Amino acid sequence: MAMRTPISRSLRLLSARPHPCWSHPAPRPLSTFRNFPPKSPLVPTAPRRFAEARGSTAVVNASPTWLVRGGTTVAGTAAPQSSKRRFMRLAYILFACVGAGVTTVTVLIGGFFIYDATTYKELDDAEDIELSELAIHPRVGGPKNLPILERYLDDEDSEIGKLSFTKPHLVILGSGWGAVAVLKNINPNDYHITVISPQNHFLFTPMLPSATVGTLEFRSLVEPIRRIVAKVHGHYLEAYAEKVVFSERLIEVCQSHPSVGELRFYVPYDKLVVAVGSQSNTHGVTGLEHCNFLKTIEDARKIRRKVVRNLELACLPGTTEAERNRLLSFVVCGGGPTGVEFAAELYDLLNEDLTMVYPKVLRNLVSVHVVQSQGHILNTYDEKISTYAQERFKKDSIDVLTNARVSEVLQDRVIFTQKDEEGVTHTKELPYGLCLWSTGVAQCEVTKDIVASLDAQKNRRAIETDTHLRVIGAPLGEVYAIGDCSTVRTNVTEHIVEFLRSYAIKSNKPAEECSLTFQQWRDIATNIKRRFPQAGEHLKRVDYLFTEYDTNKSGTLDFDELTRLLQDIDRKMTSLPATAQRAHQQGQYIGRKLTNLARAETLAMTDSGDIDDLVYRPFEYHHLGNLAYVGNAAVFDLNGYSFVGGLVAMYLWRSVYFAQSVSFRTRALLFMDWLTRGLFGRDMTQI
């Protein structure tokens, strides 16, 4: 019989009276603890009782249980209870989340209906509205003795309108990127603002190709111009501006009227901003009446109707094979961003949605052709981007015809010439069911009239402005031109005498006899960069230029050497691109400048009378890069850094334009259109 020690007696008493918080199940065999310690942290629930007998150690009582954190035991007796507790906890969290979601949706829907109910109003008692006699019966005058619109029907609608009549009259021609940027950046309390445009909406042109195939709806790309004008307490006239009478500060405006025929009247101005945009360039090609263009919402609507109509005609049993091939042939004349994006969108429509609702045989008959006069498409982009876009189109079976010039467009085919690799020109033709003409921009009629009426205008393709965006030849500080209708004259050489004037006065010599030291040349270079910001890119190394053009090594630049230097800079400077970002930046510049000018009326004029130069710096264009969509992929040309990619790049492309959208309303519509396309496909109805 084993000898009992005092220690073993104490352990037995403790094991007989366990603590009430300890679990004390039935004794377990020793095999329960063979795998001790377990993976989970263990907490002892009772002391172990040992007995020593004859120099050996034996476990006398192995009944205490070890609890794993969370309630499970080593033996697993508490596992079912713990699993049940865990399941109940997850069920509780799930029901709580579902309940919170249902409650949130219910509150949002209820809140929407409550808000919607407040938007319905009953007719209030009509109140008397004061109208100026000049608003109903304007006085006549001007060169053609037409009515002069000096007061508007809504001048008396509010106190702000009554006060704005006494302020300088600012008239903006156009409702595009430049005009809207002016409205968003000008202080409305400084001017009486009027917008004149035949389109009563702002059009988000970069996404216009997406509307031609139903990826986006037309109304998702437009914002009512009256809504934008109302925020600056201005006025809007839906009409065409035909002529500007600079001597009398009058704009001749016309609009057709169903009952009285053509209405003509004058709109007076104190400040005029010309932002009428451009129209498609025909390049003298005949037969363009058979082509479709892509400049307006109506153009996009016509293209969508024609695409769907061609598909429907191709399904009819009486259509011959040759006619079916012609109907399903789509030709794009022009490999710029608009032409490339339209071809990509059209391919997406035919590849993703055509076989879902039309006979699959049509997909094998469809052909898309891009006719480009240059050696590659997207020729204004980085070469890497152009190559990627061309390879992408080749993979998608889009036929790209480079070094090809359209000579004539007939009713059913395009005639063009193309040079082969040996330089031999061949005449070819392409049958088409739809031909899109997208080959550059040209002047509008009012732009042509402004250029023709000013002798100082030398560029016959656009309105020339100085670096302050003032129309050259017009009264100084009264007329500005921005966007596609204008170009900035950057002839630095013309101002060489002006740059040398101060040095000629100091040396008491004619400007033609002055010689400049390096420090004087540095000062002149700084002045040139301030007056002509575009030249700054070519004047970074003034020391290198001084050494290069000092041909006689005299240590100075004489008049002839300086002239050659400035002429080379003029040749290197290019005109600003006809893009939305250029018009937007110029509109922002004009809006801020006009605000500063309104506050600087009491300032003394400079010696040259140039108050614009006194209160605001010349315009400087910052190129932010180019984007293009190439069919479930996108390309980015960002100031020397190019990026191409698939769906990730496409979503990034969408994000950029989504952020640039003009209002929250259009952003919401864009999002819903993209969601609708993903869920239900593109809209292929003729509406």
Side-chain angles (χ1 to χ4, degrees):
M1 181 175 182
M3 182 181 295
R4 297 176 180 265
T5 64
I7 295 178
S8 62
R9 181 185 302 175
S10 300
L11 291 174
R12 190 174 66 176
L13 291 175
L14 287 173
S15 62
R17 297 190 309 171
H19 192 275
C21 295
W22 297 342
S23 61
H24 191 67
R28 299 271 179 185
L30 184 61
S31 60
T32 305
F33 297 93
R34 285 176 180 172
N35 296 325
F36 180 82
K39 294 181 180 180
S40 301
L42 301 179
V43 181
T45 60
R48 301 177 64 183
R49 189 161 53 126
F50 297 93
E52 296 180 9
R54 294 186 179 93
S56 63
T57 304
V59 178
V60 178
N61 189 354
S63 62
T65 305
W66 295 73
L67 288 177
V68 182
R69 290 177 185 175
T72 59
T73 63
V74 173
T77 56
Q81 182 179 2
S82 175
S83 299
K84 183 178 180 181
R85 188 181 298 115
R86 191 179 299 112
F87 173 77
M88 294 298 295
R89 185 182 297 112
L90 291 176
Y92 172 78
I93 294 174
L94 178 62
F95 282 115
C97 292
V98 172
V102 172
T103 303
T104 302
V105 172
T106 304
V107 170
L108 290 176
I109 294 176
F112 169 76
F113 280 109
I114 293 174
Y115 166 76
D116 186 65
T118 62
T119 61
Y120 299 96
K121 299 180 180 179
E122 296 183 1
L123 180 64
D124 297 331
D125 294 335
E127 58 177 327
D128 294 333
I129 300 175
E130 296 181 2
L131 287 178
S132 171
E133 182 66 22
L134 290 176
I136 303 175
H137 304 290
R139 70 179 182 89
V140 296
K144 297 183 180 180
N145 201 32
L146 298 175
I148 300 177
L149 185 62
E150 297 174 313
R151 301 297 295 268
Y152 294 79
L153 293 176
D154 52 353
D155 273 341
E156 308 293 333
D157 286 358
S158 64
E159 293 298 325
I160 297 178
K162 295 178 182 179
L163 295 175
S164 66
F165 174 74
T166 60
K167 298 172 184 176
H169 285 225
L170 169 64
V171 178
I172 302 173
L173 304 182
S175 58
W177 284 92
V180 170
V182 174
L183 294 172
K184 285 182 170 291
N185 287 272
I186 199 169
N187 185 355
N189 298 322
D190 295 332
Y191 292 94
H192 179 278
I193 301 174
T194 302
V195 175
I196 302 174
S197 174
Q199 285 85 30
N200 68 344
H201 57 265
F202 164 78
L203 174 60
F204 194 81
T205 50
M207 302 297 291
L208 194 56
S210 298
T212 61
V213 296
T215 305
L216 299 176
E217 288 303 317
F218 303 117
R219 293 199 176 275
S220 302
L221 303 180
V222 298
E223 181 73 10
I225 195 65
R226 282 190 176 274
R227 184 173 297 176
I228 301 174
V229 171
K231 294 179 180 179
V232 295
H233 314 295
H235 311 276
Y236 169 71
L237 299 173
E238 184 177 328
Y240 291 87
E242 288 197 345
K243 187 179 183 61
V244 179
V245 185
F246 297 101
S247 59
E248 301 186 34
R249 292 184 179 177
L250 295 175
I251 305 167
E252 184 179 339
V253 178
C254 74
Q255 180 60 289
S256 59
H257 197 280
S259 58
V260 298
E262 190 177 59
L263 286 176
R264 288 186 174 273
F265 54 94
Y266 288 121
V267 177
Y269 68 88
D270 295 305
K271 299 281 186 182
L272 173 63
V273 178
V274 182
V276 294
S278 60
Q279 60 186 4
S280 297
N281 194 341
T282 63
H283 296 285
V285 178
T286 59
L288 295 188
E289 64 272 11
H290 305 301
C291 296
N292 288 86
F293 301 93
L294 192 53
K295 297 286 288 184
T296 65
I297 279 292
E298 188 57 33
D299 291 338
R301 196 186 304 274
K302 290 179 180 178
I303 290 175
R304 187 192 289 192
R305 289 174 181 168
K306 196 164 188 178
V307 169
V308 177
R309 178 169 175 76
N310 285 1
L311 293 174
E312 296 295 346
L313 291 175
C315 294
L316 297 179
T319 305
T320 63
E321 183 178 355
E323 179 66 8
R324 185 176 290 112
N325 289 331
R326 184 191 69 82
L327 288 171
L328 299 179
S329 174
F330 302 92
V331 178
V332 180
C333 299
T338 301
V340 167
E341 290 184 349
F342 172 73
E345 291 282 0
L346 185 61
Y347 169 80
D348 290 344
L349 168 71
L350 302 176
N351 189 54
E352 298 171 4
D353 298 86
L354 178 65
T355 56
M356 296 175 62
V357 291
Y358 286 94
K360 293 183 179 180
V361 68
L362 296 187
R363 181 63 190 90
N364 298 330
L365 300 177
V366 168
S367 61
V368 181
H369 312 270
V370 178
V371 181
Q372 167 69 337
S373 60
Q374 302 295 326
H376 47 79
I377 58 177
L378 297 177
N379 58 294
T380 59
Y381 288 52
D382 184 80
E383 184 178 356
K384 175 184 175 182
I385 290 178
S386 300
T387 304
Y388 174 83
Q390 209 151 316
E391 291 177 352
R392 181 84 185 190
F393 275 11
K394 183 178 180 180
K395 177 184 175 183
D396 294 339
S397 300
I398 297 177
D399 183 25
V400 178
L401 303 168
T402 57
N403 297 316
R405 292 185 175 273
V406 176
S407 55
E408 186 180 5
V409 180
L410 302 179
Q411 188 173 1
D412 58 350
R413 62 189 184 276
V414 175
I415 310 297
F416 66 96
T417 59
Q418 186 179 24
K419 289 184 179 180
D420 58 18
E421 296 179 354
E422 298 178 356
V424 180
T425 302
H426 303 274
T427 300
K428 302 179 181 180
E429 64 180 37
L430 272 175
Y432 70 87
L434 181 147
C435 180
L436 174 70
W437 186 265
S438 175
T439 59
V441 296
Q443 288 180 316
C444 298
E445 295 301 321
V446 64
T447 305
K448 295 178 181 178
D449 184 82
I450 291 174
V451 171
S453 62
L454 298 173
D455 296 333
Q457 293 286 320
K458 298 180 180 180
N459 191 327
R460 296 302 169 184
R461 295 189 299 270
I463 302 174
E464 281 190 308
T465 69
D466 60 12
T467 53
H468 285 276
L469 305 185
R470 297 170 297 192
V471 175
I472 296 175
L476 190 65
E478 292 184 3
V479 185
Y480 302 85
I482 59 177
D484 296 353
C485 68
S486 67
T487 182
V488 179
R489 182 188 292 182
T490 54
N491 195 344
V492 183
T493 310
E494 288 185 356
H495 301 270
I496 185 171
V497 175
E498 183 180 343
F499 293 137
L500 294 174
R501 180 185 302 167
S502 60
Y503 301 105
I505 294 174
K506 290 180 181 178
S507 60
N508 198 21
K509 294 180 182 180
E512 292 77 3
E513 298 179 7
C514 290
S515 296
L516 300 177
T517 64
F518 176 72
Q519 185 58 45
Q520 291 172 337
W521 156 241
R522 245 177 123 173
D523 295 340
I524 285 183
T526 302
N527 191 18
I528 292 174
K529 286 188 284 187
R530 189 186 67 82
R531 290 279 305 275
F532 300 93
Q534 278 185 270
E537 183 68 22
H538 309 287
L539 290 171
K540 292 181 177 179
R541 294 294 305 274
V542 293
D543 53 344
Y544 173 77
L545 292 173
F546 184 87
T547 304
E548 180 182 359
Y549 287 89
D550 182 16
T551 55
N552 57 8
K553 306 304 178 183
S554 62
T556 60
L557 288 178
D558 58 28
F559 186 83
D560 293 335
E561 293 170 340
L562 181 62
T563 301
R564 285 196 300 272
L565 191 157
L566 297 182
Q567 286 175 346
D568 288 346
I569 291 177
D570 286 337
R571 281 192 289 269
K572 293 177 182 178
M573 286 192 294
T574 58
S575 58
L576 299 179
T579 58
Q581 62 171 305
R582 175 256 186 122
H584 181 71
Q585 290 184 28
Q586 289 182 329
Q588 289 179 318
Y589 171 85
I590 288 296
R592 294 163 184 165
K593 168 180 272 191
L594 292 176
T595 299
N596 284 15
L597 286 173
R599 299 170 182 173
E601 291 180 349
T602 58
L603 293 178
M605 304 291 284
T606 60
D607 294 339
S608 61
D610 193 352
I611 191 172
D612 287 71
D613 192 56
L614 181 64
V615 302
Y616 214 71
R617 64 186 184 277
F619 171 73
E620 182 176 4
Y621 173 69
H622 298 281
H623 186 62
L624 303 178
N626 295 317
L627 315 177
Y629 177 74
V630 291
N632 292 334
V635 294
F636 296 77
D637 185 7
L638 308 174
N639 294 329
Y641 298 95
S642 56
F643 172 68
V644 297
L647 290 176
V648 174
M650 184 200 69
Y651 286 123
L652 182 59
W653 171 79
R654 284 184 177 181
S655 301
V656 171
Y657 284 139
F658 181 82
Q660 290 181 347
S661 191
V662 72
S663 67
F664 176 77
R665 168 188 164 275
T666 52
R667 292 189 187 98
L669 291 175
L670 285 174
F671 175 77
M672 287 189 288
D673 285 346
W674 285 325
L675 183 64
T676 302
R677 188 216 67 84
L679 294 176
F680 309 109
R682 293 173 176 84
D683 180 16
M684 302 183 69
T685 55
Q686 294 186 61
I687 300 178

